[in-house]
Amino acid sequence: MKPHVSDEYERSAEFVDIMLAAPWTALAPTLAEALRGAPGPVVDVGAGGGHGTRVIARTLPGAEIHAVEPSPGLRAVLLARVNDDPGLRDRVTVLPGGLLQATLPPRLGTLVAMNVIGHFGPGDRRTIWRLLAERLLPGGRAVLNLQPPAEPVAVPQTRFSELRIGRRRYEGWGRAEPSGPDQITWHMTYRAFQDGEPAEEVEVEYAWWLLAPDRLKAELAGHGLHATPTGPAELGLWCITGSPG
């Protein structure tokens, strides 16, 4: 079975992680509120370099965390972050491969899937919903976010990140085009400038499966699960539980 995250992240990992820092500033408090009081163990799906893993650890200080990340480049950042923090080192297990291949606990308290659900097609999503229905503990939950667009439309070229580190300025650009009735293809460009001059450029692309809120609810209902929006609407967070209560 193919890993759920494109291998292109190996080439872009050094840019992806630093450019996610700013979005996580907005996302972190909302995720923390959605996780408040959730049981462990916790699975962090597509943990990347660990921005979300740190939020989980702060919010649920007694929980064991299984951080799943298939990309070797991003996983190297994640493992280094965990190792450098004594508060994480004893609690976080970093797992290679995709969620559907990972060795997980037989019972799960919480599953977190930030910025990642579009890497899973309909068949893989059914497997995830079944896993939740079978393994979530009473009072357990899953928290994920749905990112626009919800329909296969073109997204014009947009600069989504700019930051400076030392003498280098970094830019991240992205555009998307429809590639199927439920899919778009993202084309990402990462650039580095040193002293104002172009120094490096990396271009990658990856497929992204679209999932609108109504379809999310319908898919979950087939497994006895219920989804409730949480936090500011523009962040697109949903909390999944075994019942409306």
Side-chain angles (χ1 to χ4, degrees):
M1 185 178 297
K2 293 170 64 178
H4 72 268
V5 174
S6 167
D7 288 343
E8 294 294 341
Y9 280 105
E10 283 192 67
R11 298 178 55 224
S12 59
E14 64 177 300
F15 304 103
V16 169
D17 186 75
I18 60 175
M19 291 180 183
L20 281 174
W24 266 105
T25 300
L27 188 58
T30 301
L31 175 60
E33 186 59 33
L35 293 176
R36 201 81 60 194
V42 183
V43 176
D44 187 7
V45 183
H51 291 289
T53 309
R54 292 187 292 190
V55 175
I56 296 166
R58 289 195 302 266
T59 308
L60 306 175
E64 181 183 9
I65 302 169
H66 300 261
V68 182
E69 178 49 57
S71 164
L74 289 173
R75 194 168 63 249
V77 178
L78 171 63
L79 193 58
R81 278 208 175 111
V82 170
N83 183 61
D84 282 346
D85 187 336
L88 297 179
R89 195 181 306 133
D90 292 336
R91 299 173 50 203
V92 179
T93 300
V94 176
L95 299 175
L99 172 66
L100 303 184
Q101 296 80 41
T103 300
L104 302 175
R107 299 287 278 171
L108 305 177
T110 306
L111 183 141
V112 177
M114 291 291 105
N115 307 321
V116 75
I117 196 64
H119 286 299
F120 295 93
D124 286 344
R125 289 200 305 266
R126 284 193 296 272
T127 302
I128 296 171
W129 309 149
R130 185 166 61 248
L131 180 148
L132 292 177
E134 293 173 351
R135 298 201 194 185
L136 269 185
L137 292 165
R141 71 196 72 166
V143 181
L144 58 78
N145 62 335
L146 302 181
Q147 297 169 286
E151 299 178 348
V153 296
V155 178
Q157 181 89 329
T158 304
R159 186 175 66 187
F160 63 86
S161 182
E162 182 181 24
L163 68 155
R164 183 178 293 276
I165 300 176
R167 301 181 70 91
R168 286 200 167 196
R169 181 173 61 85
Y170 297 88
E171 293 181 355
W173 294 78
R175 64 179 177 85
E177 58 191 25
S179 51
D182 298 307
Q183 196 175 64
I184 58 175
T185 297
W186 280 103
H187 301 269
M188 311 300 293
T189 302
Y190 302 94
R191 299 187 178 114
F193 300 83
Q194 185 158 337
D195 299 326
E197 297 297 324
E200 189 176 1
E201 181 170 303
V202 173
E203 295 184 352
V204 299
E205 64 179 50
Y206 59 88
W208 187 259
W209 290 93
L210 304 174
L211 182 60
D214 287 348
R215 181 162 183 176
L216 171 67
K217 293 178 184 179
E219 290 183 1
L220 292 171
H223 296 271
L225 300 169
H226 178 82
T228 305
T230 182
E234 63 270 19
L235 294 181
L237 263 69
W238 290 78
C239 185
I240 299 170
T241 58
S243 70

